[in-house]
Amino acid sequence: MTRFVRSWLGVAATTATLVFGGGQAFAQKELVFGLQCDRTGPTATVGVNLCPGYHDYIGLVNSKGGVEGFKIKVIEIDNEYKVPPAMEAHERFKKEGAVLEGLYGTPQTAALNKKLEEDKILGTSPGFGTAASADGKRFPYTFPIAASYWSQAGAAVAFAKERLGGSLKGKKIAYIFYDNPAGKEPLPILEDLAKDEGFEMRTFAVPAPGVEMGAQILDITGRFKPDFVIAHLFGRAPSVAIKELKGKGFPLSKVVAFVWGSAEADIIAAGGMGAAEGYNTIQFAGVGKDFPVLKDIEAMYKAQGKAAPKEMDSTVYYNRGVLIAALHVEAVKNAIKAKNGAAPTPEEVKKGMEAIKGFTLGGLVPPMEITPADHEGGGWVQIWTVKGGKLVKSKDWFQGYRPLIQKHLDADAKKS
Amino acid sequence: MFHREAGIFKTTYAADAALYPLPIAKWTIAALALIFVVLIPLTVHEYYLSILNLIFIAIVGALGLNILVGYTGQISIGHAAFMSVGAYTAANLAVKLGLPFWITLPAGGLMAAAIGVVVGMPSLRIKGLYLAIATLAGQLIIEWTINRVPAISGGAQASIEVDRPSLFGFSFNTQGSLYFFLLFFAVLAIVATLNLARSRIGRAFVAVRDQDIAAEIIGINIYRYKLLAFAISSFYAGVCGVLYTYYFGIANYEQFQLIVSIDYLAMIIIGGLGSVLGSIFGAIFVTLLPIVIRLFMEDVGSLFFTQAEMANVISGLRLGVFGGLIIFFLIVEPEGLNRLWRNVRSYFRVWPFSY
């Protein structure tokens, strides 16, 4: 059969399923995953590297015979970081019989929380959504599966404490953030920590779109003169912050950035890896190419006679895509095993996700433990630092001030 | 619609302004009602209902903007901000006071109307681009206020969760039941706008748009009518925001940013300024086109591209084709899809004897 004929058969088949509605794919031992992405909207720089990572890992699993004999089919929908298309995407995934879906974007996650619960399909929101959604009792079908902004704030302060010689008493910390809900979310944690650890904290809001922050940086370096800077910025803002801080002569080794300001692209846009020596970044997935799974993906491409995709060089986002895909596959694997090899329902996949423990993928995934109560998996992060033109691991997986985060989660649960 | 009008003569103004210009129009409406109320919900998959639901909400918002921009000629880039005013008003009333949707929905609309009048004040002194910038300021101020005032936004996340709307104990919590909920308000908005357009107020709006000095000379209080246009338009926007809030179960200001205002402007410009049908066409076009392009590419694209390329190609092509089609339609018919539709209709009206 030529490729042409095959494609037209495909058209006919799809049209048929569209006409007759909700064709189920269980007969051919296939599972459907839904993936929302943003390749064209304001966060496209993340999406174009993260989503290929997701597809490549799924491709790798399929090339090895699938997960427990089931092939995985991924439906990707670009929501352009807009909310209505996210709802449309969710309904499409549901129609195609998806057993789980990957969400993309904070407002999109907020808008789908309720729908996911009603439809009983789990959605993962690593680095998106709210810190409170780590609470599996309140948001049963939303899975952050990565350190929330609260956990990142705890980790940032813990890292600052370590760098400043083990005590923060009398020290000054500046928190520079993008002025939106996600930017403000860590404030309660930082305020509590300032009280507990006895440091002075001042906050500096950067208004959207975050490309102009000369005044804030001048305020930080000229007037406040902090011992450490915690930066929580998105989009173009991180590279501007690096450039401005460096321009004012502030040592970048005393700066730590949250997860969306910590990709190679941000650092390169600020003038190249060499110029950002010492810049610290928080990561929820391993960085670099030194992981067996990435070698396997390269080998898979080689076996097909192709070069490894260029997205692999953007290791921060690419590896996050691999992490999301790996956790999805692991959840499904748990669910299939629990059912002795039969195709799981979305609810069983949710239970499978809540059983993930000790799955590290050679160090790319943190030693997380997802439970019915904790959908964040513990809030593990690593710190990677720019050294000699590349990102180097400077602190292995750790949790910053976990008891305090837990206290806030409990308090937040009582409020609602 | 497709019907002949031979032998029908209008002898009074009332007949000329009637909602049903021809007796057969009643049958057309009855048929449409049958399709939308019975046929579609019974036969169509939930997925397609969810798309229709998004279209219904967009229709309400587009109608509101068209009243202001299309009928009255006052440009506004703050439409999304008025939606957020409605959304947060309704969400606060629903959560803090536990009020049902049939109170929160008009309340959200009224609050948006009140804010809309304030933002519309500059329209009394400035026009065109100047007014656009003034409403842009309104959009940014409202966004900032909601983001910064916890009493409105409900805390650092600036989002308030609301329960699904319910009526007499029945909860609208599936796409199927929300379909009827949203259809009701979309139809209400369409009928209200049709009636507004043929009333004294609607004619005054058109007079202000076409030549405001002339309108003033023939006795129209243009200040009053400009502000009224802002109020009515913002009321629609507020209701649209409330519908979004109930549809998603959350009020979140990030859903109502500047780009959404631009999207709605695009809808009415593509659909046709100053027409109800145009607003509907525009809402359908902007909501549906990206979905159709994607579904089409998923099938046909595999002829030319590998699976890995497809995701990027679909995303890029969606933007490209979307922009290209907007330009194409506006070159073919600058007055929008509504005019295109009317041209087609008038061609077939005399077909095949078009001499």
Side-chain angles (χ1 to χ4, degrees):
Chain A
M1 222 182 330
T2 65
R3 194 167 162 209
F4 183 79
V5 173
R6 214 167 47 223
S7 305
W8 279 104
L9 283 179
V11 175
T14 320
T15 319
T17 48
L18 284 175
V19 170
F20 298 111
Q24 296 294 319
F26 291 117
Q28 324 138 29
K29 283 206 120 188
E30 189 182 64
L31 290 170
V32 179
F33 287 10
L35 176 69
Q36 301 201 20
C37 188
D38 174 14
R39 290 173 188 260
T40 49
T43 59
T45 48
V46 177
V48 291
N49 292 319
L50 189 146
C51 301
Y54 187 96
H55 288 290
D56 283 348
Y57 184 82
I58 301 288
L60 181 69
V61 169
N62 281 341
S63 75
K64 289 184 176 170
V67 46
E68 306 286 311
F70 286 87
K71 293 270 185 192
I72 299 165
K73 181 184 160 200
V74 180
I75 304 172
E76 186 196 301
I77 292 183
D78 181 353
N79 66 26
E80 294 175 61
Y81 215 80
K82 288 179 184 168
V83 174
M87 179 61 98
E88 186 261 327
H90 167 75
E91 290 294 333
R92 172 85 194 283
F93 297 153
K94 198 169 83 182
K95 174 172 173 286
E96 305 281 344
V99 291
L100 54 76
E101 69 179 88
L103 305 174
Y104 192 102
T106 299
Q108 291 76 5
T109 303
L112 284 175
N113 268 338
K114 182 163 267 174
K115 199 75 198 138
L116 292 170
E117 196 177 335
E118 283 169 1
D119 294 337
K120 299 205 185 316
I121 299 175
L122 81 86
T124 55
S125 57
F128 307 117
T130 66
S133 60
D135 186 343
K137 292 194 195 78
R138 261 180 85 195
F139 299 96
Y141 282 86
T142 308
F143 284 78
I145 61 169
S148 68
Y149 294 138
W150 284 358
S151 300
Q152 292 173 38
V157 173
F159 179 69
K161 186 176 175 179
E162 193 184 289
R163 278 289 166 98
L164 295 175
S167 167
L168 288 171
K169 202 151 250 14
K171 299 277 201 258
K172 292 198 279 190
I173 291 183
Y175 175 60
I176 180 165
F177 65 102
Y178 202 86
D179 195 5
N180 69 359
K184 283 186 293 184
E185 189 171 37
L187 285 174
I189 303 291
L190 292 171
E191 279 157 11
D192 270 20
L193 284 173
K195 235 176 285 156
D196 294 352
E197 296 285 338
F199 63 86
E200 186 193 344
M201 184 192 58
R202 201 176 293 171
T203 60
F204 300 86
V206 176
V211 289
E212 171 48 55
M213 58 184 88
Q216 288 88 340
I217 301 286
L218 205 60
D219 216 11
I220 292 174
T221 56
R223 209 178 297 167
F224 185 50
K225 296 193 175 71
D227 298 291
F228 219 84
V229 173
I230 298 172
H232 182 16
L233 300 162
F234 304 84
R236 295 283 298 148
S239 54
V240 178
I242 297 171
K243 229 187 277 181
E244 292 269 358
L245 281 168
K246 195 172 165 62
K248 297 283 175 301
F250 192 84
L252 289 176
S253 59
K254 298 233 163 116
V255 180
V256 63
F258 275 33
V259 296
W260 297 120
S262 56
E264 289 96 340
D266 298 316
I267 299 163
I268 290 166
M273 282 284 180
E277 185 74 18
Y279 184 65
N280 301 297
T281 64
I282 296 178
Q283 305 287 355
F284 65 71
V287 178
K289 290 186 176 179
D290 201 14
F291 297 101
V293 58
L294 299 181
K295 300 258 185 311
D296 287 353
I297 290 174
E298 275 172 354
M300 174 185 79
Y301 273 99
K302 212 169 188 182
Q304 295 168 357
K306 288 187 231 162
K310 64 176 189 325
E311 287 88 357
M312 282 190 98
D313 297 336
S314 230
T315 64
V316 170
Y317 291 146
Y318 185 89
N319 291 3
R320 282 179 199 175
V322 172
L323 172 135
I324 299 166
L327 289 171
H328 283 182
V329 170
E330 191 65 14
V332 168
K333 190 190 278 174
N334 287 343
I336 297 171
K337 275 188 182 154
K339 241 186 143 184
N340 294 322
T345 65
E347 282 174 78
E348 285 154 359
V349 172
K350 180 208 173 224
K351 292 210 179 71
M353 186 66 97
E354 285 169 345
I356 287 180
K357 189 184 173 182
F359 172 72
T360 58
L361 206 63
L364 194 136
V365 177
M368 60 166 67
E369 186 181 348
I370 301 174
T371 67
D374 178 13
H375 285 182
E376 189 186 351
W380 297 85
V381 295
Q382 280 178 337
I383 307 274
W384 288 68
T385 304
V386 180
K387 261 190 204 135
K390 59 179 204 252
L391 283 166
V392 178
K393 190 181 354 177
S394 55
K395 193 163 164 61
D396 209 353
W397 297 114
F398 72 107
Q399 298 165 297
Y401 297 100
R402 194 69 194 158
L404 178 81
I405 314 290
Q406 197 55 50
K407 203 180 87 194
H408 274 265
L409 282 173
D410 295 343
D412 208 69
K414 270 194 206 98
K415 217 163 51 185
S416 69
Chain B
M1 301 298 150
F2 292 111
H3 31 65
R4 303 298 173 108
E5 51 222 82
I8 307 251
F9 301 102
K10 289 166 186 162
T11 50
T12 59
Y13 282 120
D16 194 37
L19 270 184
Y20 306 118
L22 304 169
I24 194 173
K26 285 190 181 157
W27 291 105
T28 319
I29 300 292
L32 277 178
L34 190 74
I35 290 172
F36 275 97
V37 178
V38 182
L39 229 51
I40 287 183
L42 279 182
T43 53
V44 165
H45 190 272
E46 209 183 7
Y47 167 58
Y48 300 103
L49 289 184
S50 78
I51 298 174
L52 281 170
N53 287 344
L54 291 173
I55 291 175
F56 290 151
I57 302 176
I59 285 176
V60 176
L63 281 171
L65 191 60
N66 219 338
I67 290 172
L68 186 65
V69 181
Y71 283 101
T72 322
Q74 308 297 306
I75 191 149
S76 164
I77 339 187
H79 207 57
F82 302 138
M83 290 180 196
S84 65
V85 171
Y88 277 95
T89 308
N92 274 314
L93 289 176
V95 171
K96 288 186 183 151
L97 302 178
L99 296 175
F101 79 88
W102 45 269
I103 296 177
T104 61
L105 192 121
L110 287 175
M111 181 62 107
I115 304 283
V117 168
V118 176
V119 174
M121 292 276 188
S123 71
L124 304 180
R125 293 178 68 85
I126 52 179
K127 289 185 209 174
L129 270 180
Y130 298 92
L131 183 59
I133 298 303
T135 51
L136 176 66
Q139 164 92 32
L140 296 178
I141 292 169
I142 293 170
E143 264 184 37
W144 187 90
T145 311
I146 289 174
N147 190 7
R148 281 311 185 92
V149 181
I152 301 173
S153 68
Q157 274 298 324
S159 51
I160 306 172
E161 288 169 59
V162 296
D163 287 331
R164 295 287 180 198
S166 63
L167 190 64
F168 306 124
F170 176 77
S171 174
F172 296 91
N173 57 5
T174 60
Q175 295 289 354
S177 54
L178 279 166
Y179 172 85
F180 288 105
F181 181 76
L182 297 170
L183 176 66
F184 175 77
F185 288 106
V187 170
L188 203 64
I190 292 169
V191 174
T193 317
L194 281 172
N195 276 316
L196 179 80
R198 66 197 187 114
S199 70
R200 184 192 149 80
I201 298 174
R203 306 214 158 206
F205 285 170
V206 172
V208 170
R209 175 192 68 194
D210 286 348
Q211 176 53 270
D212 54 354
I213 295 172
E216 199 169 11
I217 289 167
I218 58 171
I220 292 166
N221 182 344
I222 58 168
Y223 293 156
R224 189 174 155 231
Y225 279 102
K226 274 182 178 175
L227 289 186
L228 193 62
F230 265 99
I232 294 174
S233 161
S234 309
F235 183 86
Y236 275 74
V239 169
C240 174
V242 180
L243 293 179
Y244 269 129
T245 302
Y246 278 119
Y247 184 58
F248 292 124
I250 197 164
N252 183 323
Y253 96 103
E254 287 180 284
Q255 291 169 20
F256 305 109
Q257 289 185 324
L258 184 58
I259 184 79
V260 178
S261 292
I262 308 291
D263 276 352
Y264 274 86
L265 267 179
M267 278 182 206
I268 61 168
I269 290 172
I270 297 163
L273 290 173
S275 83
V276 171
L277 205 54
S279 316
I280 300 171
F281 283 151
I284 295 173
F285 187 86
V286 169
T287 313
L288 211 53
L289 190 68
I291 300 170
V292 171
I293 292 174
R294 196 186 57 235
L295 289 176
F296 177 78
M297 280 306 292
E298 278 174 7
D299 285 345
V300 179
S302 56
L303 282 179
F304 310 104
F305 303 105
T306 65
Q307 212 55 42
E309 289 165 345
M310 277 282 279
N312 270 326
V313 169
I314 289 178
S315 297
L317 206 75
R318 232 156 43 125
L319 280 187
V321 171
F322 187 64
L325 273 180
I326 290 175
I327 294 171
F328 171 77
F329 275 121
L330 290 181
I331 290 174
V332 170
E333 186 48 71
E335 285 175 49
L337 293 174
N338 180 50
R339 189 54 183 264
L340 213 58
W341 161 248
R342 284 218 307 244
N343 291 349
V344 170
R345 212 176 54 166
S346 49
Y347 173 79
F348 279 105
R349 214 151 85 170
V350 287
W351 186 86
F353 307 111
S354 56
Y355 45 82

